[in-house]
């Protein structure tokens, strides 16, 4: 989702007004950023869920390994995903 430049400029202006002490700007600011905040939260939730699934997949295979080994394996899976996404 791409935010139009006019909306970005308005958000920037409202954030400046708010940091300057104008508390009334929050009522104008929140509707502008609410959709993006929800999108980011859902994206983060999907990433966390994917990581948990990876850990649950790997856990039975790591019965004789340490927790750091599990972390290394998850990190390796993430690295492979990033590399394959870049093509």
């Amino acid at each position: 989702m791409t935010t139009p430049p006019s909306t970005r400029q308005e958000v920037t202006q409202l954030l400046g007004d708010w940091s300057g002490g104008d508390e009334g700007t929050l009522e104008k600011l929140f509707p502008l950023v609410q959709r993006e905040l929800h999108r980011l939260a859902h994206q983060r939730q999907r990433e966390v869920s994917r990581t948990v699934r990876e850990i649950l997949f790997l856990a039975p295979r790591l019965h004789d390994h340490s927790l750091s080994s599990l972390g290394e394996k998850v990190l390796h899976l993430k690295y492979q995903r990033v590399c394959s996404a870049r093509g």
Side-chain angles (χ1 to χ4, degrees), residues 9-80:
Q9 291 169 350
E10 186 177 2
V11 167
T12 301
Q13 178 63 45
L14 289 170
L15 285 171
D17 293 347
W18 182 52
S19 69
D22 183 358
E23 304 230 350
T25 59
L26 282 180
E27 292 177 21
K28 299 173 191 170
L29 181 63
F30 189 72
L32 293 174
V33 298
Q34 184 177 16
R35 179 181 291 156
E36 182 66 7
L37 291 174
H38 279 281
R39 186 189 70 75
L40 291 170
H42 286 290
Q43 178 182 350
R44 180 64 59 193
Q45 183 179 13
R46 284 190 305 271
E47 291 170 5
V48 168
S49 294
R50 185 179 307 132
T51 301
V52 168
R53 285 192 306 272
E54 290 169 351
I55 291 169
L56 292 174
F57 174 78
L58 289 173
R61 294 155 181 79
L62 297 173
H63 54 81
D64 59 342
H65 296 280
S66 67
L67 187 57
S68 65
S69 178
L70 175 62
E72 290 171 12
K73 298 243 185 235
V74 171
L75 183 61
H76 180 71
L77 285 172
K78 293 268 183 216
Y79 177 76
Q80 285 179 321

